[in-house]
Amino acid sequence: MEPERGLLRVRRHDAVVALTGEVDLTTSDLLRSELALACASGDGDVVVDFTGLTFIGSSGLHVLIETAEALGERRLVLLGGGWAAYVVNLLGLTLQFPNIVVGQ
């Protein structure tokens, strides 16, 4: 079942956040709040599962950058590939922010 346009569903379990749908200007605050909770849940990596993500806009990328900066030495691990991982790699975010890791 395809998510409705503009809809973002987030499932979080401790420091793992799974996304389904789109991250844009209208949904980036939801992502921000869920990632803040994931960061506060422990002192290890924060994992974002992009498997169900169909779009990420600049506001969503900004949230990822904010999260990476807040994590300091901890890693922000982006899983699932797809469009979001392509954009992160295209923009060189993993080079600018060494604690952002794109995995499969």
Side-chain angles (χ1 to χ4, degrees):
M1 177 179 196
E2 287 294 314
E4 294 176 33
R5 184 161 179 74
L7 179 67
L8 176 65
R9 286 182 291 205
V10 180
R11 288 177 319 199
R12 184 181 50 79
H13 180 70
D14 297 328
V16 178
V17 178
L19 307 175
T20 302
E22 301 179 357
V23 180
D24 58 17
L25 187 58
T26 63
T27 59
S28 60
D29 284 339
L30 173 59
L31 177 61
R32 181 178 286 110
S33 63
E34 291 295 331
L35 286 177
L37 291 170
C39 290
S41 71
D43 57 2
D45 294 345
V46 171
V47 178
V48 181
D49 183 350
F50 282 162
T51 303
L53 198 64
T54 56
F55 176 81
I56 188 165
S58 60
S59 59
L61 294 170
H62 185 73
V63 171
L64 295 179
I65 291 168
E66 288 174 350
T67 303
E69 289 176 335
L71 285 171
E73 297 296 315
R74 295 166 58 196
R75 298 185 320 161
L76 179 63
V77 180
L78 311 175
L79 299 177
W83 170 252
Y86 172 77
V87 171
V88 166
N89 284 324
L90 180 68
L91 295 175
L93 295 183
T94 57
L95 298 174
Q96 295 174 40
F97 303 92
N99 65 331
I100 297 178
V101 178
V102 176
Q104 299 298 325

